[in-house]
């Protein structure tokens, strides 16, 4: 019975966040804490020939300087360094040897009594290098593109399906066609919180005990990594991450500050904190730059008959990071002749890393600009073209979607936006120097569910304790899990204490891919149900129990009571039931598993339609996104307030990606040069105007019994193309390279 | 950040004496740029002389009929000062186009003049930079120079032959662009006493010594900035173009001030930001406007003259055309031919 | 092999040679290094130490934070932000960039919002410093122990991860104190010194408008 699911409830962690009480990884104070400061390399490729730490070591308060020359012996095989999100290849090992693999690589860690001393000492370390030629330019190395190496990652990120039909012939013979070459720059996640790990050291038996506060999107991932690399049993390690100051994918892999802090702590037998600088936030994973080609043809009535989409993405020399860039066309559109291709170009950069809607926003930004181009080749309204080519089938897998209310997104989004008033011709709206344009695009993202575990316990005081080792990276996990638990056992939300971000809790996967709500939601639901079933057994033991013959299907939980569905007045309070449990909590741990049998015949995805209005100064090239509407079909919305925030955030990201974001790699030095928040531009408040979110109703019992699809990614996917298409409509200029900075428009 | 000592100055003389006594000493007031650069190890002062308690915190009238802005008045207090807003709205507008409210609450008028470039390579000790380390080379010329200078980078030998530029950094201030247009005067005090520096001579072009930003002697302290009586209050515009709507440095900015007799221009000032090592002015281009009607043609001619000799280095070449369009727009807005948004 | 030789880099080619011959093992590796000395460029040759590094002297610094005076023994290089977070355990004030580029460290000093990362603790002696931990006390009407801005942030879901939030709230209170924001556009512009990577801007603006409306009613 749904009491709170679906209601716009305030975040349960809101008070902690607005009062500054919420503590993040670098904020746990421990006596005797030492501070680590990372020294970053300055060349892109080569070897360290000399590293002089003597001056740093001579400084009062410096405890140690760790380099490749004096680091402890650690795990030997690559497998020990593989985390849950490791792509095929050989993971980067900090301080492994003198080899420099990318610019900004951590080459030393100074540990000192205070942060300031460590920072000063770091500046005293002298390094000499033997440089080797480096290659960091994707454009200059496209000829080296090769297929990806295969590994476990393929399960979640399958390579494009084999070509079908005959693209070349059909495209050649079609009356209407388009072709475009698209590119976008590398981007960095830049969550507001700096990556940090606080390692609390305690003497153990044979091995020390470590309590680690880590900035991560999965405490399980961190504990696995630390245990394997440093050969410490799980029972001696506890990783905590109760709050995470933004992830967006950056915390899907353990970052090097965790390695550094644990290493220093073990060697010095002290508690150590390592916090990266904002500049160093540009020295690990990023969204890879890509170059893409898209060609689509159609018959004169607008029916698409052939689609080609290829992408070349950068990766590092040591790992094959992949993302799904080119598969989306086959999922969204029905042409019979399709070639989708994806290749990698290894460069002297760090391995790229999933960043909000990885691959999705990358590929769809190109695809949906291409579809707009086709509309203009056809002389057809862009929305009409999409409706003309609407399909309920995923043409890659030839499976129907478990649910797909994209048509409702188009209809409701267009209505809210006023799309019907749009004139087809570009440059048809103007206000003074400003050209006004309207553009739209479609979005799609996968609706996945992973296995996860959760524990629920009805405590002796009648309160419900629920836990899972998942994360709340700002997504609202604390709140929606509290809602799910409250409804599952019919208790008010204030009776529920949901805890996460602790490796002592039942295991959950890294929090990403928009799967946390479904994954952990099902685990929480399942654990609460298990408690419910135990409570029913207890109810049967009541003297003269009216529940004796009752089956699970016959009862429900509401108003802190277990009761008969057909006769709600026959009820017993949960407190009464837990009192029967011999002074113990009623405690159950359960696993939420995706129902593969039910899912296997369906494609599962969320969809969106984004409508955008821009104002472009004709002379000066400045762009303002004056309003935008996103209509979202994402299954059941657990909490419209937090879900709306997720979509708003995604829309802001989309605007930011379309107009601002670009990590500038100087290929002469092989280094990201705008490695700070003054020069790496993300949207600020003044860039954002009216944003509107619509959740269309979408019922889906195939994805999971709760009908959850996830909303973390879908908000960004359609936005960059919608912005670019609106700019075309305003100016008549088709910009195929993101970000669309003013110099690309004047 | 390096190790340094700290002194709190209790008078201007004390501050100057401390500075004279120690070559590596630096004055600190708002600290918004100096501490930023110290954390990057670009600046490594041996001593910081805290001047925030010195009596340079007011805005007063000058005998010429202008305003004297104390060096320690914050950018925010200057921009929101009633007399500044009424008589020098161009200055107010320029200050409010820069940085963020927090930074404007900290940054002082004197400090704004002392801001150093935002060149990526200057900020990153991993790359060669003639401004940070003379003789090490300029990474920007053949690197990523989208935010760099298009004017005043040329270098000639004694025979007038063109040499390769040493530095293509820009001055990042907005406030200074307005001060250049207003022909402000900088009041400084050093060990030999006080002197005044006309604004046009305060900042300098990089030449062979790009590590020197301005005409200040090492012992000198800015005490005030004098604004001449004419504030172009009736016809002015500060137009700033940047990569996002706020909290970003200018790609190109224009401070324009006009005096009009009907629709005839009787006096004009134009200063550009984001295009050179200093706020860029060219009196000949301004003179072209005098006696001309307030038309696009007049503005375009001035814009072309201002950008004469501009040179792009690849990624920043777009700034030449952008600057011209911005000048035309800003003059049009100053002449009230166009809405200001 | 990779090398750049241009007019701008020639001076630095000579430095590595000088450094190599100072090394004890120089004779063994000299040939290899000589080759590299000519062929490679190290971006900036590390300068030789000219002095023995030492720590700065500390001072007794008295800070008044949220109405309470605290004496700390600090070196001048401690920023106000680090003093709050590392020396006073007031971790509500966040470090997001440490360079005045994000606003996460916004606190109020004598009622005005500033970036705590770009000022030295020692320079803030004698000032009234207010952090997120004390922001509710600055307001006479703080039901439930929350400043109206804090409450509005919860109600309008004006945050997600919460990391920029204390800075946004202190900044919003600073904005109210300044009294310059008359329109929605003003609020957007005057809150642009606080980056929210989660993208909660529209909700932040609504929360602030709500409080401004309450105040003017």
């Amino acid at each position: 019975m749904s009491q709170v699911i679906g209601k716009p409830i305030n975040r349960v962690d809101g008070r902690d966040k607005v009062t500054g009480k919420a503590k993040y990884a670098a904020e746990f104070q421990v006596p005797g804490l030492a501070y680590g400061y990372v020294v970053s390399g300055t060349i892109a490729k080569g070897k360290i020939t000399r590293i002089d730490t003597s001056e740093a070591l001579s400084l009062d308060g410096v405890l140690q300087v760790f380099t490749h020359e004096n680091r402890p012996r650690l795990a030997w095989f690559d497998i020990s360094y593989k985390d849950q999100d490791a792509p095929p290849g050989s993971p980067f090992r900090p301080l492994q040897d003198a080899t420099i693999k990318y610019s900004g690589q951590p080459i030393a860690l100074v540990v000192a009594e205070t942060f300031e001393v460590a920072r000063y000492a770091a500046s005293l370390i002298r390094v000499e290098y033997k440089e080797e030629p480096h290659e960091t330019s994707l454009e200059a190395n496209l000829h080296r593109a090769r297929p990806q190496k295969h590994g476990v990652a393929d399960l979640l990120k399958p390579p494009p399906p084999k070509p079908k039909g005959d693209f070349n012939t059909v495209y050649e013979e079609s009356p209407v066609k388009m072709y475009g070459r698209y590119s976008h720059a590398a981007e960095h996640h830049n969550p507001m919180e700096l990556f940090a790990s606080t390692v609390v050291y305690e003497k153990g038996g044979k091995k020390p005990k470590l309590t680690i506060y880590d900035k991560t999107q999965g405490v399980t991932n961190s504990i696995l990594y630390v245990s394997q690399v440093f050969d410490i049993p799980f029972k001696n390690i506890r990783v905590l991450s109760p709050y995470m100051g933004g992830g967006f994918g950056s915390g899907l892999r353990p970052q090097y500050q965790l390695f550094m802090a644990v290493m220093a702590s073990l060697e010095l037998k002290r508690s150590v904190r390592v916090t990266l600088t904002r500049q160093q936030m540009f020295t690990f994973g990023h969204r890879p730059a890509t170059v893409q080609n898209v060609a689509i043809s159609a018959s004169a009535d607008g029916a698409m008959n052939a689609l080609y989409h290829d992408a070349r993405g950068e990766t590092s020399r040591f790992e094959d990071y992949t993302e799904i860039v080119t598969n989306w066309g086959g999922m969204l559109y029905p042409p019979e002749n399709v070639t989708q291709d994806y290749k990698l170009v290894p460069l002297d950069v760090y391995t790229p890393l999933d960043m909000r809607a990885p691959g999705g926003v990358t590929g769809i930004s190109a695809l949906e600009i291409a579809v707009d181009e086709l509309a203009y080749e056809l002389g057809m309204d862009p929305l009409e073209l999409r409706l003309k080519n609407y399909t309920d089938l995923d043409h890659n897998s030839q499976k129907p979607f478990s649910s797909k209310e994209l048509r409702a997104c188009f209809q409701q989004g267009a209505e809210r936006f006023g799309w019907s008033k749009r004139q087809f011709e570009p440059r048809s709206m103007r206000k003074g120097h400003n050209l006004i344009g309207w553009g739209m695009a479609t979005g799609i993202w996968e609706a996945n569910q992973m296995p996860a575990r959760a524990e629920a316990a009805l405590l002796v005081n009648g309160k419900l304790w629920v836990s899972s080792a998942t994360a709340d990276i700002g997504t609202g996990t604390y709140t929606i899990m509290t809602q799910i638990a409250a409804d599952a056992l019919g208790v008010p939300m204030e009776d529920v204490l949901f805890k996460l971000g602790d490796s002592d809790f039942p295991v959950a996967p890294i929090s990403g891919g928009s799967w946390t709500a479904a994954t952990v939601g099902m685990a929480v639901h399942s654990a609460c149900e298990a408690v419910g079933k135990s409570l029913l057994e207890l109810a049967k033991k009541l003297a003269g129990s009216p529940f004796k013959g009752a089956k699970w299907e016959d009862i429900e939980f509401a108003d802190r009571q277990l009761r008969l569905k057909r006769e709600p007045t026959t009820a017993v309070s949960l407190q009464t039931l837990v009192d029967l449990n011999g002074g113990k909590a009623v405690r159950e741990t359960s696993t939420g598993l995706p129902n593969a049998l039910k899912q296997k015949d369906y494609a599962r995805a969320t969809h969106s339609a984004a409508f955008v209005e821009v104002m472009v100064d004709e002379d000066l090239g400045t762009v303002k996104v004056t309003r935008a509407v996103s209509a979202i079909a994402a299954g059941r919305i657990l909490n419209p307030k937090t879900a709306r925030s997720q979509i708003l955030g995604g829309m802001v990201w989309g605007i930011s990606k379309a107009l601002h974001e670009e990590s500038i790699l100087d290929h002469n030095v092989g280094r990201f040069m705008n490695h700070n928040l003054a020069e790496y531009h993300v949207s600020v408040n003044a860039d954002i105007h009216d944003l509107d979110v619509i959740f269309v109703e979408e019922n889906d019992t195939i994805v999971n019994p709760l009908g959850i699809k996830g909303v973390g990614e879908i908000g960004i996917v359609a936005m960059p193309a919608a912005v670019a298409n609106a700019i075309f409509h305003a100016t008549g200029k088709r910009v195929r390279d993101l970000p669309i900075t003013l110099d690309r428009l004047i | 950040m390096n190790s340094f000592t700290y002194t709190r100055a209790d008078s201007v003389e004390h501050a100057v004496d401390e500075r004279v006594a120690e070559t590596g000493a630096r004055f600190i007031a708002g600290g918004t740029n100096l501490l930023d650069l110290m954390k990057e190890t670009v600046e490594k002062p041996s001593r910081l002389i805290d001047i925030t308690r010195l009596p340079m915190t007011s805005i007063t009238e000058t005998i010429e009929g202008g305003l004297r802005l104390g060096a320690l008045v914050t950018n925010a207090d200057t921009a929101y000062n009633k007399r500044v807003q009424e008589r020098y709205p161009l200055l107010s507008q320029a200050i409010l186009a820069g940085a963020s409210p927090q930074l404007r609450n900290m940054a002082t008028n004197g400090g704004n003049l002392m801001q150093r470039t935002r060149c990526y390579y200057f900020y990153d000790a991993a790359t060669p930079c003639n401004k940070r380390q003379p003789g090490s080379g300029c990474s920007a010329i053949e690197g990523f120079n989208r935010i760099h200078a298009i004017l005043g980078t040329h270098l000639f030998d004694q025979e007038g032959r063109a040499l390769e530029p040493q530095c293509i950094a820009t001055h990042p201030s907005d406030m200074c662009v307005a001060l250049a247009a207003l022909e402000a005067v900088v009041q400084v005090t050093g060990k030999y006493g006080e002197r005044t520096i006309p604004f046009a001579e305060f900042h300098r072009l990089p030449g062979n010594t790009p590590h020197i930003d301005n005409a200040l002697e090492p012992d000198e302290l800015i005490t005030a900035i004098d604004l001449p009586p004419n504030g172009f209050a009736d016809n002015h515009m500060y137009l700033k173009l940047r990569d996002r709507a706020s909290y970003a440095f200018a790609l190109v900015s224009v401070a324009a001030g006009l005096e009009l007799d009907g629709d005839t221009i009787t006096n004009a000032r134009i200063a550009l930001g984001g295009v050179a090592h200093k706020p860029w002015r060219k009196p000949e281009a301004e003179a072209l406007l005098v006696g001309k009607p307030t038309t696009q043609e007049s503005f375009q001619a001035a814009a072309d003259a201002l950008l004469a000799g501009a040179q792009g280095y690849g990624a920043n070449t777009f700034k030449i055309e952008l600057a011209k369009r911005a000048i035309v727009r800003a003059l049009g807005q100053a002449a009230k031919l166009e809405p200001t948004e | 092999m990779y090398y750049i030789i241009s007019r701008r880099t020639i001076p630095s080619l000579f430095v590595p040679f000088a450094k190599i011959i100072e090394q004890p093992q120089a004779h063994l590796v000299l040939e290899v290094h000589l080759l590299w000395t000519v062929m490679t460029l190290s971006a900036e040759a590390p300068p030789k130490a000219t002095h023995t590094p030492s720590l700065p002297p500390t001072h007794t610094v008295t800070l008044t934070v949220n109405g309470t005076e605290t004496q700390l023994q600090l070196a001048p290089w401690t920023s106000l932000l680090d003093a709050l977070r590392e020396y006073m355990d007031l971790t509500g004030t966040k470090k997001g960039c440490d360079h005045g580029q994000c606003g996460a460290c916004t606190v109020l000093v004598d009622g005005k919002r500033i970036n705590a990362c770009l000022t030295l603790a020692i320079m803030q002696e004698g000032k009234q410093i207010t952090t997120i931990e004390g922001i509710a006390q600055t307001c006479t009407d703080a039901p439930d122990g929350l400043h109206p801005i804090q409450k509005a942030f919860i109600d309008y879901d004006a945050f997600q991860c919460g990391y920029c939030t204390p800075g946004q709230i202190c900044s919003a209170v600073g904005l109210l104190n300044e009294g310059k924001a008359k329109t929605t556009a003003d609020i957007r512009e005057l809150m642009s010194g606080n980056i929210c990577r989660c993208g909660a801007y529209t909700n932040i603006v609504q929360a602030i408008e709500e409080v401004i409306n309450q105040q003017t009613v």
Side-chain angles (χ1 to χ4, degrees), chain A residues 467-481:
Chain A
S467 65
S468 176
T470 183
D472 187 331
I473 61 177
T475 43
T477 312
Y478 275 114
T479 309
I480 58 174
M481 295 308 148

Side-chain angles (χ1 to χ4, degrees), chain B residues 29-30 32 52 56-59 69-81 84 91 95-96 101-112 175, chain C residues 112-114 127:
Chain B
T32 53
T52 54
M56 313 188 292
T57 55
S58 56
I59 296 179
L69 310 175
L72 287 173
V73 182
T74 66
N75 287 177
D77 286 346
T78 305
Y80 290 124
N81 178 279
V84 173
L91 177 62
I95 294 173
L96 294 177
Q102 290 93 318
L103 289 167
R104 296 194 293 263
N105 278 339
M106 306 172 79
T108 62
N109 292 336
N112 196 302
M175 181 184 189
Chain C
K112 288 183 177 173
R113 47 179 165 163
I114 68 153
K127 311 271 177 71

Side-chain angles (χ1 to χ4, degrees), chain C residues 143-193:
Chain C
D144 209 16
L146 295 177
H147 189 285
I149 285 282
Q150 289 173 306
K151 184 165 187 317
F153 264 59
I154 295 176
D155 291 340
Y156 284 87
D157 208 33
F159 52 89
Q160 293 175 41
C161 79
Y163 198 79
C164 74
T165 311
Q168 298 276 1
I169 289 171
C170 288
S171 190
V173 173
L175 174 143
L176 296 179
N177 292 346
E178 289 155 14
K180 306 290 181 194
K182 307 293 179 204
T183 65
T184 306
D186 290 345
I187 297 174
R188 288 183 182 132
E189 167 61 27
L190 294 172
M191 285 301 290
S192 283

Side-chain angles (χ1 to χ4, degrees), chain B residues 21-101:
Chain B
E22 193 168 328
T23 323
R26 295 280 181 282
F27 300 121
I28 185 168
T32 53
N33 192 213
L34 182 56
L35 289 173
D36 171 30
L37 288 165
M38 286 168 66
K39 289 176 186 184
E40 300 277 12
T41 68
V42 174
E43 297 275 7
K44 296 176 193 172
S46 59
R47 175 181 296 270
L48 287 183
I49 305 159
D50 178 355
I51 57 168
T52 54
R53 323 249 157 169
L54 303 186
M56 313 188 292
T57 55
S58 56
I59 296 179
T60 54
E61 299 287 339
T62 64
I63 39 174
E64 293 84 14
L67 281 183
R68 171 164 292 187
L69 310 175
L72 287 173
V73 182
T74 66
N75 287 177
D77 286 346
T78 305
Y80 290 124
N81 178 279
K82 213 162 164 255
R83 286 180 289 182
V84 173
Q85 283 183 317
E86 280 168 10
R87 288 154 58 186
Y88 305 93
L90 176 63
L91 177 62
S92 184
Q93 221 180 3
I95 294 173
L96 294 177
S100 70

Side-chain angles (χ1 to χ4, degrees), chain A residues 606-622:
Chain A
T606 54
H607 290 87
S608 69
F611 298 83
V612 166
E613 177 182 271
V614 296
M615 225 186 221
V616 184
D617 190 300
E618 189 178 9
D619 303 323
L620 306 176
T622 50

Side-chain angles (χ1 to χ4, degrees), chain B residues 142-210:
Chain B
E142 286 169 15
F144 195 81
N145 50 39
R146 186 167 169 274
I147 62 173
H148 289 78
I150 49 170
L151 285 163
T153 58
H154 293 302
L155 203 57
F156 300 96
D157 65 11
Q158 286 166 339
E159 278 82 49
R161 287 176 302 220
L163 299 174
E164 189 149 358
Q166 291 288 302
C167 175
I168 56 169
T170 58
H171 194 262
S173 170
D174 291 295
M175 181 184 189
C176 290
V177 182
L179 290 174
L182 294 168
E183 295 188 347
V185 176
V186 185
Q187 302 283 342
V188 305
T189 299
K191 62 182 170 186
Y192 302 115
E194 298 173 3
R195 68 172 178 133
T196 60
I197 308 173
F199 208 81
E201 290 162 28
F202 186 83
H203 296 104
R204 57 186 296 283
L205 292 177
N208 273 320
T209 50

Side-chain angles (χ1 to χ4, degrees), chain C:
Chain C
M1 270 188 196
Y2 168 70
Y3 57 96
I4 307 171
I5 295 183
S6 77
R7 269 163 292 173
R8 287 191 305 282
T9 56
I10 286 167
S12 42
L13 288 175
F14 300 102
V15 183
F17 177 75
K19 293 201 66 61
I20 285 160
I21 55 172
E22 285 164 19
Q23 294 175 30
Q25 75 276 34
H27 298 293
L28 296 172
V29 292
L30 191 62
E31 280 180 30
V32 180
H33 280 274
L34 260 177
L35 184 65
W36 275 103
T37 308
V38 178
M39 302 296 281
T40 70
L41 156 71
S42 132
E44 192 169 303
K48 190 68 191 168
T50 50
H51 66 286
T52 313
S54 61
L55 296 185
T58 62
H59 301 248
T60 303
V61 176
T62 307
L63 294 180
T64 310
V65 182
N66 300 325
T68 308
E69 268 191 22
T70 308
Q71 281 201 346
L72 302 166
Q73 200 61 33
L74 294 178
W77 63 14
T78 299
S79 69
L80 175 60
L81 175 60
D82 289 331
L84 292 169
R85 284 172 66 84
E86 306 298 339
Y87 296 83
M88 301 177 74
D89 200 17
L90 290 169
T91 54
T93 309
K94 304 303 182 194
K95 184 184 278 192
C97 72
D98 215 17
H99 288 270
Q101 300 163 353
C102 77
C105 66
T106 305
V107 298
L108 299 173
V109 171
D110 293 339
K112 288 183 177 173
R113 47 179 165 163
I114 68 153
N115 298 120
C117 71
L118 286 186
T119 187
L120 301 173
I122 197 169
M123 294 174 72
Q124 297 302 328
E125 283 191 304
K127 311 271 177 71
Q128 294 290 327
I129 299 157
T130 306
T131 69
I132 190 70
E133 289 89 350
I135 202 86
Q137 301 162 23
T138 64
C139 167
T140 48
D141 178 32
D144 209 16
L146 295 177
H147 189 285
I149 285 282
Q150 289 173 306
K151 184 165 187 317
F153 264 59
I154 295 176
D155 291 340
Y156 284 87
D157 208 33
F159 52 89
Q160 293 175 41
C161 79
Y163 198 79
C164 74
T165 311
Q168 298 276 1
I169 289 171
C170 288
S171 190
V173 173
L175 174 143
L176 296 179
N177 292 346
E178 289 155 14
K180 306 290 181 194
K182 307 293 179 204
T183 65
T184 306
D186 290 345
I187 297 174
R188 288 183 182 132
E189 167 61 27
L190 294 172
M191 285 301 290
S192 283
N194 293 83
I195 291 174
C196 170
R197 186 56 160 157
C198 295
Y201 296 128
T202 53
N203 293 350
I204 290 167
V205 171
Q206 281 183 10
I208 295 169
E209 280 183 326
E210 162 80 15
V211 176
I212 290 176
N213 291 339
Q214 283 169 15
Q215 287 182 340
T216 50
V217 168

Side-chain angles (χ1 to χ4, degrees), chain A residues 78 82 87-91 149 318-320:
Chain A
D78 274 347
K82 290 237 179 198
S90 174
K149 290 184 186 126
F318 45 95
E319 284 173 314
D320 267 16

